[in-house]
Amino acid sequence: MNELEPGQMPVPSAEEQRRQRWNKALPAILIVGSFGGIALIMAGLLAVLAPEEPLVEGMPGPGITPMAQQMPGALPPTVGPGGADVPLTAAAPTAPPPIPAVVPVAPIVSTGSVAPAKIVIPQVGLNAALRTVGVQRNGEVQVPPLSQPKVAGWYKLGPVPGQPGPAVILGHVSTRRGPAVFSRLREVKRGHKIQVVRTDGTVAEFTVDGVEQVSKNTFPTKRVYGRLDTAGLRLITCGGVYNRRTGHYTDNIIVYATLSATKTA
């Protein structure tokens, strides 16, 4: 080692210089890292605690082709009976609508313009007003706006409930403010009664034939919208898991019913 002149400071080695720079920078790194960690933690908490508002997405319409198909052999050959204490599954894609629970009655002969005004399902405490819905630009059936969570929508391009064919009524299962009009639809089961009050003063009473829960990627378009000689009814809402990334539920819950009685309101 070379001797130093009096008052001359030793020159640090390269390793010592790196250590000194690290010691000076460490407090700043710790402070920045602490704030960054807090920010990440707060962002995570907000993501978990902040209430989500499901996006107003449409339901698959008659012209919508499912994005994927499940293996027919892996699913039941018919729609199940449903019920609050029964796991809901999907029927095979090629399965027909469920067999009617009762002998169908003749469809209602309508004179003049008529529309459904109210839907009642006593077994699940449902009594809700109806509004008309049409089709979105992407071909999906509209649903009522989230500002009307307790109102269901009748698909106006299909039959009026009570007329021949599959009438379709849709509604939300939940919103940020709580349960919506079809929050208990998955509890409906075969044999339950559904009453649709119409503007012509008649009540079309349907008996539930079956209930299924299907992936939105394999929506059974033909089973829901296919031709019927009798008067049928389809109730549709969301189900499954709510996906925060997409803002949508993964599945649809579908109730199938057949006209079983008519009366005056």
Side-chain angles (χ1 to χ4, degrees):
M1 177 180 293
N2 296 329
E3 293 186 0
L4 299 175
E5 296 293 335
Q8 183 179 1
M9 296 296 294
V11 178
S13 66
E15 179 64 27
E16 290 175 337
Q17 292 180 32
R18 284 195 296 270
R19 187 180 298 111
Q20 290 173 3
R21 287 196 297 269
W22 170 253
N23 290 337
K24 291 179 180 180
L26 182 58
I29 293 173
L30 290 175
I31 292 172
V32 173
S34 297
F35 281 117
I38 293 172
L40 288 173
I41 292 171
M42 291 302 296
L45 287 174
L46 289 174
V48 172
L49 298 177
E52 293 282 351
E53 184 74 86
L55 298 180
V56 182
E57 61 174 322
M59 299 289 183
I64 298 293
T65 301
M67 295 171 57
Q69 292 293 334
Q70 296 176 341
M71 294 298 292
L75 296 171
T78 187
V79 175
D85 54 351
V86 176
L88 296 181
T89 60
T94 56
I99 297 174
V102 297
V103 177
V105 301
I108 301 173
V109 178
S110 302
T111 57
S113 178
V114 61
K118 184 172 68 171
I119 181 171
V120 180
I121 309 179
Q123 288 89 346
V124 295
L126 174 64
N127 188 327
L130 292 171
R131 58 170 290 165
T132 60
V133 294
V135 178
Q136 300 178 153
R137 290 184 177 181
N138 62 1
E140 292 183 339
V141 177
Q142 295 172 331
V143 292
L146 289 171
S147 59
Q148 297 180 322
K150 298 297 185 180
V151 175
W154 163 61
Y155 178 51
K156 65 181 180 180
L157 301 182
V160 175
Q163 291 180 342
V168 176
I169 295 177
L170 314 97
H172 293 291
V173 65
S174 66
T175 69
R176 178 182 297 178
R177 290 172 291 278
V181 61
F182 280 168
S183 62
R184 296 182 61 190
L185 193 64
R186 71 146 345 270
E187 300 176 31
V188 172
K189 66 179 181 179
R190 184 177 174 89
H192 279 180
K193 303 299 182 182
I194 303 171
Q195 297 174 349
V196 178
V197 181
R198 307 177 357 148
T199 55
D200 62 356
T202 60
V203 177
E205 183 174 271
F206 297 83
T207 299
V208 174
D209 303 321
V211 185
E212 67 175 335
Q213 180 171 321
V214 300
S215 167
K216 292 185 177 182
N217 291 335
T218 56
F219 187 86
T221 303
K222 185 176 181 181
R223 189 154 60 240
V224 171
Y225 295 100
R227 183 178 180 275
L228 287 177
D229 294 327
T230 57
L233 181 66
R234 311 289 187 249
L235 307 183
I236 307 175
T237 192
C238 291
V241 178
Y242 180 73
N243 187 324
R244 288 177 176 270
R245 183 179 61 82
T246 64
H248 302 311
Y249 284 91
T250 56
D251 300 343
N252 283 129
I253 293 175
I254 307 170
V255 173
Y256 299 82
T258 298
L259 184 67
S260 54
T262 61
K263 56 186 178 181
T264 303

